[in-house]
Amino acid sequence: MFDVQAVDARIAQLVQQQHLAGVSVCVKGKEGVLFSGQYGVRDLAMKTPVDADTVFGIASMSKSITALALCILDAEGKLSVDDPVVKYVPSFRIPGTPRSAVTIRHLAMHTSGMPPMEPLEWSIAMNTNRRESPWLLEMRATAPNKMETIEQVIDYVAHCPYPTLGAPGEIMSYSNEGYAILSYVVDAAAHIKLEDFCRDRIFAPIGMTRTVMDDDCASAKAMAKGDITSLFERENGETIGDDTWNILPPFRGCAMVKSTAPDMAAYYSCLANGGKVNGKQVIPAKAVERLVGAEYPETSHDYYCMGLNKFVRDGHVFLEHAGGLHGVSSKGAAIRDLGCGIAILCNQGDEDMDDILWTLYSALLGLPLDTCFRRYQPNGEDFSDPEMMVGHFTGHEGSPEHLAVQVVDGKPVAHKGETDMVLRYCGGTKFLGYTSETATVPCSRLEFLIRNGAAWGVRVGTRVFTRDND
C-alpha cells in the first residue's frame, strides 16, 4: 500500500532527531500487518534492541479499553452509559452538582464538570519509589493521604477546593479521576474485576496475547519473560533510565495497561472494523458504535467520544489517543474507512509521537510523508476582541500550572510556566502558542472560554484552567 522503506527511513530519522531511547511501531489493516518497525533499545545498558514483542506501558491509551468495557456491558444490558454513576458507586459526588445528574457517559467523555486536580499525581508520588526530585517532594508534601484507594479519590473529588467547571455535559476537561472511578463502575456492573473483564472480553477475543492491565507491573513482567522495556527520560540533554514503573492503585483503567505495538495495532484495527478481526465479530458491533459511532459529531477538530478523539479529514474518519507517564509516550489510532489500526509505543517520557503518527497517516493516504495533520491552524487573521482573553488562569493537576495572558500592541501574548508565547489565531476562540514570531512548531494549544465579555477559563490542550480571583 505504501513505500515501506521510505516510511522506515523517515521514522528512524525522527527517532534519532528526538533522541528517543526506544520505539515500536505497527500498522495493521484488514489483511494483516502492513508495517512493523522497531528502533533503539529497551534496557538500561542501552544494548538490547527493541523487538516486536517488547512490552511497553501505554498510559492513557488504556482509557478507551475501559470505555469499551463499559460499552460492551451497555450492549449486553448490564448497564447503560446514561445511568447515573451513583447507581454503581454510591459515594461519588461533585460539589454543587446533583448526585444523580452525572452519568457514566459524562465521566467517559470528560464532561462531568470536574476540574483538573491532583489525586493521580499524589498517588504516583506516594506509592512509587522514585528518585528524589522537586516534583516528588512537592507532591509528597501536599498529599492529604496516599491516594491508594478509590475511596480516598472519591472523597477528594467530593471536597475538591477548585470550582466545578459547569453542569454535566457542558464543558470538556480531561479527568484522570473520572476514569479511575469508571474502573469501579465496571467492577460493579460486570461482577468481576475490570482487569479480568478486559482479559476475557477484549484482549483474548482480539488476539492480544501480550497485553495485561495490572497495578504494579508484576503481571506484565511475568508475561513479558524479560522482554519488557526500561523507562527513560531526557534530563539536561542526557538520557537516563530506571526500571521503576509507576504505581497508582486506584487509577487502574485510567493508565495501567502494558502491551506491544502489534497488540495495540490489532486493537485499533478491530475498532476500525466495527469489532471484527479477520472478518469475525469478536466485539459487539453495538459496543463499538456506542464507543465512537454516529451519535458523536464528525468535525475537522477533535471531538472526544468515550476514550478516543474523533476527527475527519478529506473524508477519512480518524480515532486516536495519546498516553504519557514516566518512561511512557504512546500514540494509538484507527482510520475507520481503511480498517487500519496504528500503534506507536516509546519508552521515554514526555515525548511527542505526532510526527511519527502523521508519517503513517500520510503513507496510508498516499500523501507526502511530512504532511501535517494538526487540527488547529493559524488563519492569518486577528482576533476581534483580544482584551476578553486577558487574565491569570491556573490548572491544578499536580503542581499548579499558571497561564497569564495580556495584550501588547494590540496582540495577545501569553506566559505559561517559564515559556513566553506568541498567540496565533485559529478561528473561534482557538489559538496556537509559539515561542517566537519566527517559530513554526507550536508549543501550546489554547481555547478561551468566554462569558459576559471575559474569559472565565482556558482549555490548555485538553485541561481547563480557570481564572484566578484577581
Side-chain angles (χ1 to χ4, degrees):
M1 180 179 291
F2 54 81
D3 188 335
V4 170
Q5 289 185 335
V7 171
D8 182 64
R10 176 167 168 79
I11 294 175
Q13 181 183 39
L14 291 170
V15 169
Q16 184 178 34
Q17 288 175 350
Q18 290 184 240
H19 304 287
L20 303 177
V23 175
S24 184
V25 176
C26 188
V27 181
K28 188 176 187 300
K30 295 178 181 179
E31 60 271 44
V33 173
L34 304 177
F35 178 82
S36 180
Q38 290 74 47
Y39 312 87
V41 297
R42 64 170 172 81
D43 65 323
L44 292 178
M46 303 194 79
K47 293 182 179 180
T48 308
V50 171
D51 60 46
D53 288 331
T54 300
V55 174
F56 291 73
I58 72 167
S60 286
M61 279 167 58
S62 306
K63 288 182 170 68
S64 75
I65 295 171
T66 298
L68 181 58
L70 291 162
C71 291
I72 292 171
L73 292 168
D74 179 285
E76 296 176 345
K78 295 176 181 175
L79 60 69
S80 167
V81 296
D82 294 312
D83 284 340
V85 176
V86 293
K87 181 176 178 180
Y88 306 93
V89 185
S91 58
F92 170 73
R93 72 179 183 90
I94 296 174
T97 301
R99 294 178 62 205
S100 60
V102 182
T103 67
I104 293 168
R105 186 194 298 272
H106 291 139
L107 291 187
M109 294 180 67
H110 302 294
T111 58
S112 69
M114 281 194 287
M117 59 181 73
E118 308 94 337
L120 177 136
E121 305 284 341
W122 283 333
S123 188
I124 292 172
M126 298 299 289
N127 295 286
T128 309
N129 293 320
R130 293 275 294 278
R131 292 182 300 111
E132 296 296 307
S133 68
W135 170 84
L136 182 65
L137 295 175
E138 179 182 354
M139 290 297 96
R140 287 181 177 170
T142 57
N145 53 59
K146 290 190 70 175
M147 289 293 166
E148 61 186 337
T149 69
I150 194 61
E151 288 78 18
Q152 289 168 332
V153 174
I154 289 170
D155 183 68
Y156 186 78
V157 171
H159 300 93
C160 180
Y162 314 122
T164 300
L165 301 178
E170 183 181 2
I171 301 293
M172 187 274 179
S173 184
Y174 196 90
S175 173
N176 288 305
E177 290 69 30
Y179 268 83
I181 293 162
L182 288 175
S183 303
Y184 295 84
V185 172
V186 173
D187 292 352
H191 303 293
I192 60 172
K193 300 291 285 184
L194 169 67
E195 292 83 349
D196 297 334
F197 187 91
C198 291
R199 179 195 64 209
D200 297 342
R201 301 298 308 279
I202 298 175
F203 303 153
I206 295 175
M208 300 166 69
T209 59
R210 290 183 67 78
T211 303
V212 67
M213 181 187 293
D214 63 8
D215 64 1
D216 61 1
C217 205
S219 297
K221 289 177 179 177
M223 174 191 68
K225 296 181 179 178
D227 195 357
I228 188 168
T229 183
S230 296
L231 305 166
F232 297 90
E233 304 284 343
R234 290 283 289 181
E235 290 189 7
N236 301 318
E238 298 293 327
T239 301
I240 60 172
D242 58 52
D243 287 314
T244 305
W245 290 78
N246 279 330
I247 298 175
L248 46 162
F251 291 85
R252 305 148 55 211
C254 172
M256 300 306 289
V257 172
K258 289 85 176 175
S259 187
T260 66
D263 271 16
M264 290 308 302
Y267 169 76
Y268 286 105
S269 177
C270 178
L271 295 184
N273 288 287
K276 292 181 179 180
V277 174
N278 298 325
K280 180 182 178 182
Q281 195 77 49
V282 299
I283 302 294
K286 183 179 176 182
V288 177
E289 178 67 16
R290 179 68 80 195
L291 187 76
V292 291
E295 62 188 290
Y296 307 105
E298 296 182 354
T299 72
S300 59
H301 290 287
D302 287 339
Y303 188 90
Y304 201 96
C305 306
M306 290 202 285
L308 287 166
N309 281 308
K310 179 181 185 181
F311 72 95
V312 178
R313 175 162 169 162
D314 298 330
H316 301 285
V317 179
F318 298 79
L319 308 167
E320 67 179 38
H321 209 288
L325 279 174
H326 170 60
V328 178
S329 297
S330 60
K331 200 90 181 207
I335 306 178
R336 199 169 62 190
D337 55 297
L338 299 184
C340 289
I342 300 170
I344 304 161
L345 305 183
C346 176
N347 58 5
Q348 192 163 298
D350 200 27
E351 300 291 346
D352 189 343
M353 297 295 106
D354 277 348
D355 281 339
I356 297 176
L357 179 64
W358 296 346
T359 296
L360 297 168
Y361 283 168
S362 300
L364 289 165
L365 299 177
L367 301 171
L369 295 184
D370 60 355
T371 300
C372 176
F373 282 78
R374 189 173 293 116
R375 269 74 83 190
Y376 280 30
Q377 293 290 345
N379 60 16
E381 300 177 1
D382 292 330
F383 184 53
S384 59
D385 299 284
E387 68 281 356
M388 293 185 180
M389 303 156 55
V390 172
H392 295 264
F393 308 87
T394 302
H396 294 275
E397 188 171 353
S399 301
E401 289 190 272
H402 303 282
L403 177 76
V405 182
Q406 60 186 109
V407 176
V408 177
D409 297 329
K411 305 281 188 180
V413 296
H415 183 82
K416 180 176 179 285
E418 299 179 356
T419 303
D420 291 318
M421 293 186 289
V422 175
L423 300 185
R424 297 177 188 164
Y425 184 45
C426 300
T429 57
K430 300 179 175 71
F431 293 79
L432 287 176
Y434 296 80
T435 55
S436 70
E437 290 284 359
T438 58
T440 58
V441 178
C443 61
S444 192
R445 187 183 71 190
L446 309 174
E447 181 178 9
F448 290 83
L449 306 174
I450 295 174
R451 183 183 297 134
N452 298 325
W456 63 267
V458 185
R459 186 176 291 108
V460 182
T462 56
R463 275 77 166 174
V464 171
F465 290 19
T466 52
R467 177 182 286 277
D468 299 340
N469 293 321
D470 298 322

